[in-house]
Short mmCIF file of all heavy atoms in Angstrom, two decimals:
data_model
loop_
_atom_site.label_atom_id
_atom_site.label_comp_id
_atom_site.label_asym_id
_atom_site.label_seq_id
_atom_site.Cartn_x
_atom_site.Cartn_y
_atom_site.Cartn_z
N MET H 216 6.07 6.57 10.25
CA MET H 216 6.82 6.95 9.06
C MET H 216 6.36 6.12 7.87
O MET H 216 6.28 4.91 7.93
CB MET H 216 8.32 6.73 9.27
CG MET H 216 8.89 7.57 10.40
SD MET H 216 8.82 9.33 10.07
CE MET H 216 10.12 9.46 8.83
N ILE H 217 6.05 6.76 6.80
CA ILE H 217 5.58 6.06 5.61
C ILE H 217 6.64 5.10 5.09
O ILE H 217 6.35 4.02 4.63
CB ILE H 217 5.21 7.08 4.50
CG1 ILE H 217 3.94 7.84 4.93
CG2 ILE H 217 4.98 6.38 3.17
CD1 ILE H 217 3.53 8.90 3.93
N GLN H 218 7.90 5.50 5.21
CA GLN H 218 8.99 4.69 4.68
C GLN H 218 9.09 3.33 5.36
O GLN H 218 9.63 2.40 4.81
CB GLN H 218 10.32 5.43 4.83
CG GLN H 218 10.46 6.62 3.91
CD GLN H 218 9.74 7.86 4.43
OE1 GLN H 218 9.20 7.85 5.52
NE2 GLN H 218 9.72 8.91 3.65
N ASN H 219 8.57 3.24 6.57
CA ASN H 219 8.68 1.99 7.32
C ASN H 219 7.46 1.10 7.14
O ASN H 219 7.41 0.00 7.67
CB ASN H 219 8.87 2.28 8.81
CG ASN H 219 10.24 2.88 9.06
OD1 ASN H 219 11.16 2.66 8.31
ND2 ASN H 219 10.36 3.65 10.12
N ILE H 220 6.47 1.59 6.41
CA ILE H 220 5.27 0.80 6.21
C ILE H 220 5.42 -0.06 4.97
O ILE H 220 5.81 0.43 3.92
CB ILE H 220 4.04 1.71 6.06
CG1 ILE H 220 3.83 2.49 7.36
CG2 ILE H 220 2.80 0.88 5.74
CD1 ILE H 220 2.70 3.50 7.27
N LYS H 221 5.11 -1.34 5.12
CA LYS H 221 5.15 -2.24 3.98
C LYS H 221 3.73 -2.52 3.51
O LYS H 221 2.85 -2.80 4.30
CB LYS H 221 5.83 -3.55 4.38
CG LYS H 221 7.30 -3.39 4.72
CD LYS H 221 8.12 -3.08 3.47
CE LYS H 221 9.61 -3.07 3.77
NZ LYS H 221 10.02 -1.88 4.52
N TYR H 222 3.54 -2.44 2.21
CA TYR H 222 2.23 -2.70 1.65
C TYR H 222 2.28 -3.95 0.78
O TYR H 222 3.30 -4.28 0.20
CB TYR H 222 1.77 -1.54 0.77
CG TYR H 222 1.41 -0.30 1.55
CD1 TYR H 222 2.34 0.72 1.71
CD2 TYR H 222 0.15 -0.15 2.09
CE1 TYR H 222 2.01 1.87 2.41
CE2 TYR H 222 -0.19 1.00 2.79
CZ TYR H 222 0.75 2.00 2.94
OH TYR H 222 0.43 3.15 3.63
N GLN H 223 1.13 -4.62 0.72
CA GLN H 223 1.02 -5.77 -0.17
C GLN H 223 -0.33 -5.70 -0.87
O GLN H 223 -1.34 -5.40 -0.25
CB GLN H 223 1.13 -7.08 0.61
CG GLN H 223 1.14 -8.30 -0.30
CD GLN H 223 1.53 -9.56 0.44
OE1 GLN H 223 1.20 -9.72 1.61
NE2 GLN H 223 2.23 -10.45 -0.22
N CYS H 224 -0.30 -5.97 -2.15
CA CYS H 224 -1.53 -5.93 -2.93
C CYS H 224 -2.38 -7.16 -2.63
O CYS H 224 -1.90 -8.29 -2.75
CB CYS H 224 -1.20 -5.89 -4.42
SG CYS H 224 -2.67 -5.89 -5.46
N PRO H 225 -3.63 -6.99 -2.23
CA PRO H 225 -4.50 -8.13 -1.93
C PRO H 225 -4.97 -8.84 -3.18
O PRO H 225 -5.49 -9.95 -3.11
CB PRO H 225 -5.67 -7.48 -1.19
CG PRO H 225 -5.73 -6.09 -1.75
CD PRO H 225 -4.29 -5.70 -2.02
N SER H 226 -4.77 -8.22 -4.33
CA SER H 226 -5.25 -8.79 -5.58
C SER H 226 -4.18 -9.65 -6.26
O SER H 226 -4.42 -10.79 -6.64
CB SER H 226 -5.70 -7.68 -6.52
OG SER H 226 -6.20 -8.22 -7.72
N CYS H 227 -2.97 -9.10 -6.41
CA CYS H 227 -1.92 -9.83 -7.12
C CYS H 227 -0.72 -10.13 -6.21
O CYS H 227 0.28 -10.66 -6.67
CB CYS H 227 -1.47 -9.04 -8.35
SG CYS H 227 -0.53 -7.53 -7.96
N ASN H 228 -0.83 -9.78 -4.93
CA ASN H 228 0.23 -10.03 -3.95
C ASN H 228 1.52 -9.30 -4.30
O ASN H 228 2.59 -9.67 -3.81
CB ASN H 228 0.50 -11.53 -3.80
CG ASN H 228 -0.66 -12.23 -3.10
OD1 ASN H 228 -1.28 -11.68 -2.21
ND2 ASN H 228 -0.95 -13.45 -3.50
N GLY H 229 1.42 -8.29 -5.12
CA GLY H 229 2.59 -7.50 -5.45
C GLY H 229 2.96 -6.59 -4.29
O GLY H 229 2.16 -6.33 -3.38
N CYS H 230 4.19 -6.14 -4.31
CA CYS H 230 4.64 -5.25 -3.22
C CYS H 230 5.14 -3.92 -3.77
O CYS H 230 5.76 -3.15 -3.05
CB CYS H 230 5.70 -5.94 -2.38
SG CYS H 230 7.16 -6.43 -3.29
N GLN H 231 4.87 -3.68 -5.03
CA GLN H 231 5.27 -2.41 -5.61
C GLN H 231 4.04 -1.53 -5.75
O GLN H 231 3.00 -1.95 -6.24
CB GLN H 231 5.94 -2.62 -6.98
CG GLN H 231 7.23 -3.40 -6.86
CD GLN H 231 8.01 -3.38 -8.18
OE1 GLN H 231 8.07 -2.38 -8.86
NE2 GLN H 231 8.61 -4.50 -8.52
N TYR H 232 4.18 -0.31 -5.31
CA TYR H 232 3.03 0.57 -5.27
C TYR H 232 3.48 2.01 -5.42
O TYR H 232 4.67 2.32 -5.36
CB TYR H 232 2.28 0.40 -3.94
CG TYR H 232 3.18 0.59 -2.74
CD1 TYR H 232 3.37 1.84 -2.17
CD2 TYR H 232 3.85 -0.50 -2.19
CE1 TYR H 232 4.21 2.02 -1.09
CE2 TYR H 232 4.70 -0.33 -1.11
CZ TYR H 232 4.87 0.93 -0.56
OH TYR H 232 5.71 1.09 0.51
N ARG H 233 2.52 2.87 -5.62
CA ARG H 233 2.81 4.28 -5.65
C ARG H 233 1.71 5.00 -4.88
O ARG H 233 0.62 4.47 -4.68
CB ARG H 233 2.90 4.80 -7.08
CG ARG H 233 1.64 4.62 -7.89
CD ARG H 233 1.87 5.01 -9.34
NE ARG H 233 0.69 4.78 -10.18
CZ ARG H 233 -0.29 5.66 -10.32
NH1 ARG H 233 -0.24 6.82 -9.70
NH2 ARG H 233 -1.33 5.39 -11.08
N PHE H 234 2.01 6.22 -4.49
CA PHE H 234 1.06 6.98 -3.71
C PHE H 234 0.32 7.96 -4.60
O PHE H 234 0.89 8.57 -5.49
CB PHE H 234 1.78 7.74 -2.60
CG PHE H 234 2.45 6.83 -1.60
CD1 PHE H 234 3.82 6.67 -1.58
CD2 PHE H 234 1.68 6.13 -0.68
CE1 PHE H 234 4.43 5.84 -0.66
CE2 PHE H 234 2.28 5.30 0.26
CZ PHE H 234 3.66 5.16 0.27
N SER H 235 -0.97 8.07 -4.34
CA SER H 235 -1.78 9.04 -5.06
C SER H 235 -2.79 9.65 -4.10
O SER H 235 -3.50 8.94 -3.40
CB SER H 235 -2.51 8.36 -6.22
OG SER H 235 -3.43 9.29 -6.80
N VAL H 236 -2.83 10.96 -4.08
CA VAL H 236 -3.77 11.63 -3.18
C VAL H 236 -5.22 11.37 -3.58
O VAL H 236 -6.13 11.51 -2.78
CB VAL H 236 -3.52 13.15 -3.15
CG1 VAL H 236 -2.15 13.45 -2.56
CG2 VAL H 236 -3.63 13.75 -4.54
N PHE H 237 -5.41 10.95 -4.83
CA PHE H 237 -6.76 10.70 -5.31
C PHE H 237 -7.31 9.38 -4.80
O PHE H 237 -8.48 9.10 -4.92
CB PHE H 237 -6.78 10.70 -6.85
CG PHE H 237 -6.35 12.01 -7.44
CD1 PHE H 237 -5.11 12.14 -8.04
CD2 PHE H 237 -7.19 13.12 -7.36
CE1 PHE H 237 -4.71 13.36 -8.58
CE2 PHE H 237 -6.78 14.35 -7.89
CZ PHE H 237 -5.54 14.46 -8.50
N ASN H 238 -6.42 8.56 -4.24
CA ASN H 238 -6.84 7.24 -3.78
C ASN H 238 -6.87 7.13 -2.26
O ASN H 238 -6.98 6.05 -1.70
CB ASN H 238 -5.91 6.17 -4.36
CG ASN H 238 -6.06 6.07 -5.87
OD1 ASN H 238 -7.15 6.02 -6.39
ND2 ASN H 238 -4.94 6.05 -6.58
N ILE H 239 -6.74 8.24 -1.60
CA ILE H 239 -6.76 8.22 -0.13
C ILE H 239 -8.17 7.94 0.38
O ILE H 239 -9.11 8.61 0.00
CB ILE H 239 -6.24 9.56 0.44
CG1 ILE H 239 -4.75 9.71 0.12
CG2 ILE H 239 -6.49 9.62 1.95
CD1 ILE H 239 -4.17 11.04 0.55
N THR H 240 -8.26 6.92 1.21
CA THR H 240 -9.53 6.57 1.85
C THR H 240 -9.25 6.28 3.32
O THR H 240 -8.10 6.27 3.76
CB THR H 240 -10.17 5.34 1.20
OG1 THR H 240 -9.35 4.20 1.43
CG2 THR H 240 -10.35 5.52 -0.29
N ALA H 241 -10.29 5.98 4.06
CA ALA H 241 -10.12 5.66 5.48
C ALA H 241 -9.27 4.41 5.66
O ALA H 241 -8.48 4.31 6.59
CB ALA H 241 -11.48 5.45 6.12
N LYS H 242 -9.45 3.45 4.74
CA LYS H 242 -8.68 2.21 4.83
C LYS H 242 -7.33 2.33 4.16
O LYS H 242 -6.49 1.45 4.27
CB LYS H 242 -9.47 1.05 4.19
CG LYS H 242 -10.68 0.63 5.01
CD LYS H 242 -11.34 -0.58 4.37
CE LYS H 242 -12.53 -1.05 5.24
NZ LYS H 242 -13.18 -2.23 4.64
N ASN H 243 -7.15 3.38 3.41
CA ASN H 243 -5.91 3.57 2.66
C ASN H 243 -5.43 5.01 2.86
O ASN H 243 -5.46 5.82 1.94
CB ASN H 243 -6.18 3.27 1.17
CG ASN H 243 -4.90 3.19 0.37
OD1 ASN H 243 -3.82 2.98 0.91
ND2 ASN H 243 -5.02 3.36 -0.93
N PRO H 244 -5.05 5.33 4.09
CA PRO H 244 -4.77 6.73 4.44
C PRO H 244 -3.62 7.36 3.69
O PRO H 244 -3.50 8.57 3.62
CB PRO H 244 -4.49 6.66 5.95
CG PRO H 244 -4.04 5.26 6.19
CD PRO H 244 -4.82 4.43 5.20
N HIS H 245 -2.75 6.52 3.09
CA HIS H 245 -1.62 7.07 2.36
C HIS H 245 -1.87 7.09 0.85
O HIS H 245 -1.06 7.58 0.09
CB HIS H 245 -0.36 6.26 2.65
CG HIS H 245 0.00 6.26 4.10
ND1 HIS H 245 0.40 7.40 4.77
CD2 HIS H 245 0.01 5.28 5.02
CE1 HIS H 245 0.63 7.11 6.04
NE2 HIS H 245 0.40 5.82 6.22
N GLY H 246 -3.00 6.49 0.43
CA GLY H 246 -3.32 6.48 -0.98
C GLY H 246 -2.40 5.59 -1.79
O GLY H 246 -2.05 5.90 -2.92
N ALA H 247 -1.97 4.47 -1.21
CA ALA H 247 -1.06 3.56 -1.90
C ALA H 247 -1.85 2.62 -2.81
O ALA H 247 -2.78 1.95 -2.36
CB ALA H 247 -0.27 2.74 -0.88
N ASN H 248 -1.45 2.58 -4.07
CA ASN H 248 -2.11 1.70 -5.02
C ASN H 248 -1.09 0.86 -5.76
O ASN H 248 0.00 1.31 -6.09
CB ASN H 248 -2.91 2.51 -6.04
CG ASN H 248 -4.24 2.95 -5.47
OD1 ASN H 248 -4.30 3.74 -4.55
ND2 ASN H 248 -5.31 2.42 -6.01
N CYS H 249 -1.48 -0.37 -6.04
CA CYS H 249 -0.63 -1.30 -6.78
C CYS H 249 -0.31 -0.72 -8.16
O CYS H 249 -1.20 -0.23 -8.85
CB CYS H 249 -1.36 -2.64 -6.91
SG CYS H 249 -0.44 -3.87 -7.84
N ILE H 250 0.95 -0.82 -8.57
CA ILE H 250 1.32 -0.28 -9.88
C ILE H 250 0.93 -1.22 -11.00
O ILE H 250 0.94 -0.85 -12.16
CB ILE H 250 2.84 0.01 -9.96
CG1 ILE H 250 3.65 -1.28 -9.84
CG2 ILE H 250 3.25 1.01 -8.89
CD1 ILE H 250 5.13 -1.06 -10.14
N PHE H 251 0.59 -2.47 -10.64
CA PHE H 251 0.26 -3.45 -11.66
C PHE H 251 -1.23 -3.50 -11.95
O PHE H 251 -1.65 -3.38 -13.09
CB PHE H 251 0.76 -4.83 -11.24
CG PHE H 251 2.25 -4.88 -11.06
CD1 PHE H 251 2.81 -5.04 -9.78
CD2 PHE H 251 3.10 -4.76 -12.14
CE1 PHE H 251 4.19 -5.08 -9.62
CE2 PHE H 251 4.48 -4.79 -11.98
CZ PHE H 251 5.02 -4.95 -10.71
N CYS H 252 -2.02 -3.70 -10.91
CA CYS H 252 -3.46 -3.87 -11.12
C CYS H 252 -4.26 -2.71 -10.55
O CYS H 252 -5.49 -2.76 -10.58
CB CYS H 252 -3.92 -5.20 -10.54
SG CYS H 252 -3.73 -5.33 -8.76
N LYS H 253 -3.59 -1.72 -10.03
CA LYS H 253 -4.23 -0.50 -9.53
C LYS H 253 -5.12 -0.75 -8.33
O LYS H 253 -5.95 0.09 -7.98
CB LYS H 253 -5.06 0.18 -10.65
CG LYS H 253 -4.32 0.34 -11.95
CD LYS H 253 -3.05 1.14 -11.81
CE LYS H 253 -2.38 1.31 -13.16
NZ LYS H 253 -1.08 1.96 -13.06
N ALA H 254 -4.97 -1.91 -7.71
CA ALA H 254 -5.79 -2.20 -6.54
C ALA H 254 -5.29 -1.41 -5.34
O ALA H 254 -4.13 -0.99 -5.29
CB ALA H 254 -5.76 -3.70 -6.23
N GLN H 255 -6.17 -1.23 -4.40
CA GLN H 255 -5.79 -0.53 -3.17
C GLN H 255 -4.88 -1.43 -2.35
O GLN H 255 -5.22 -2.57 -2.04
CB GLN H 255 -7.05 -0.21 -2.38
CG GLN H 255 -6.80 0.52 -1.09
CD GLN H 255 -8.11 0.91 -0.42
OE1 GLN H 255 -8.82 1.77 -0.89
NE2 GLN H 255 -8.44 0.25 0.67
N MET H 256 -3.73 -0.91 -1.99
CA MET H 256 -2.77 -1.70 -1.24
C MET H 256 -3.21 -1.86 0.20
O MET H 256 -3.81 -0.96 0.79
CB MET H 256 -1.39 -1.03 -1.27
CG MET H 256 -0.82 -0.87 -2.65
SD MET H 256 -0.52 -2.42 -3.49
CE MET H 256 1.01 -2.93 -2.67
N MET H 257 -2.89 -3.03 0.76
CA MET H 257 -3.19 -3.29 2.16
C MET H 257 -1.87 -3.26 2.93
O MET H 257 -0.86 -3.76 2.47
CB MET H 257 -3.85 -4.66 2.32
CG MET H 257 -5.15 -4.79 1.54
SD MET H 257 -6.48 -3.74 2.17
CE MET H 257 -6.83 -4.56 3.71
N VAL H 258 -1.91 -2.69 4.13
CA VAL H 258 -0.71 -2.69 4.95
C VAL H 258 -0.37 -4.11 5.37
O VAL H 258 -1.23 -4.85 5.84
CB VAL H 258 -0.91 -1.81 6.20
CG1 VAL H 258 0.31 -1.92 7.13
CG2 VAL H 258 -1.14 -0.37 5.81
N SER H 259 0.88 -4.48 5.15
CA SER H 259 1.33 -5.82 5.51
C SER H 259 1.84 -5.79 6.95
O SER H 259 2.95 -5.34 7.22
CB SER H 259 2.43 -6.29 4.57
OG SER H 259 2.91 -7.56 4.97
N TYR H 260 1.00 -6.25 7.86
CA TYR H 260 1.37 -6.21 9.27
C TYR H 260 2.46 -7.23 9.60
O TYR H 260 3.09 -7.15 10.64
CB TYR H 260 0.15 -6.45 10.15
CG TYR H 260 -0.83 -5.31 10.08
CD1 TYR H 260 -1.96 -5.40 9.28
CD2 TYR H 260 -0.59 -4.13 10.78
CE1 TYR H 260 -2.85 -4.35 9.20
CE2 TYR H 260 -1.47 -3.08 10.70
CZ TYR H 260 -2.60 -3.19 9.91
OH TYR H 260 -3.47 -2.14 9.82
N LYS H 261 2.68 -8.16 8.69
CA LYS H 261 3.75 -9.14 8.90
C LYS H 261 5.11 -8.44 8.94
O LYS H 261 6.05 -8.94 9.52
CB LYS H 261 3.73 -10.18 7.78
CG LYS H 261 2.51 -11.07 7.82
CD LYS H 261 2.55 -12.08 6.69
CE LYS H 261 1.32 -12.97 6.73
NZ LYS H 261 1.32 -13.93 5.60
N ALA H 262 5.17 -7.29 8.30
CA ALA H 262 6.43 -6.56 8.25
C ALA H 262 6.84 -6.08 9.64
O ALA H 262 8.01 -5.82 9.90
CB ALA H 262 6.31 -5.37 7.31
N PHE H 263 5.85 -5.95 10.52
CA PHE H 263 6.15 -5.46 11.85
C PHE H 263 6.47 -6.59 12.83
O PHE H 263 6.85 -6.36 13.96
CB PHE H 263 4.97 -4.66 12.39
CG PHE H 263 4.68 -3.42 11.58
CD1 PHE H 263 3.64 -3.40 10.67
CD2 PHE H 263 5.47 -2.28 11.73
CE1 PHE H 263 3.39 -2.27 9.92
CE2 PHE H 263 5.21 -1.15 10.98
CZ PHE H 263 4.17 -1.14 10.08
N ALA H 264 6.26 -7.83 12.40
CA ALA H 264 6.35 -8.96 13.31
C ALA H 264 7.81 -9.27 13.69
O ALA H 264 8.09 -9.68 14.81
CB ALA H 264 5.72 -10.20 12.68
N SER H 265 8.70 -9.07 12.77
CA SER H 265 10.08 -9.49 13.02
C SER H 265 10.82 -8.54 13.94
O SER H 265 10.50 -7.39 14.04
CB SER H 265 10.84 -9.60 11.71
OG SER H 265 10.85 -8.38 11.02
ZN1 ZN M 391 -1.83 -5.70 -7.57
#
């Protein structure tokens, strides 16, 4: 579920993002991009640890 995935920006460490179909790649299957610096968001696997 997309709603349960947490993303973190590798550039500014922000956690706010939006989805864009234009940014979908193999590493970014949901097309999530940082709203601040437009960097490709990385899935934060720490969110699954707890
Ligand atoms: Zn960012």
Side-chain angles (χ1 to χ4, degrees):
M216 299 295 287
I217 291 177
Q218 289 81 4
N219 290 334
I220 297 176
K221 294 290 186 287
Y222 289 96
Q223 185 169 34
C224 178
S226 181
C227 71
N228 290 324
C230 59
Q231 296 190 39
Y232 54 89
R233 60 186 177 86
F234 296 106
S235 172
V236 296
F237 300 106
N238 293 313
I239 292 176
T240 66
K242 289 184 177 180
N243 191 20
H245 300 294
N248 280 66
C249 179
I250 65 171
F251 299 112
C252 64
K253 311 302 182 186
Q255 180 175 290
M256 299 297 283
M257 301 292 290
V258 174
S259 177
Y260 292 101
K261 292 180 180 178
F263 297 101
S265 58

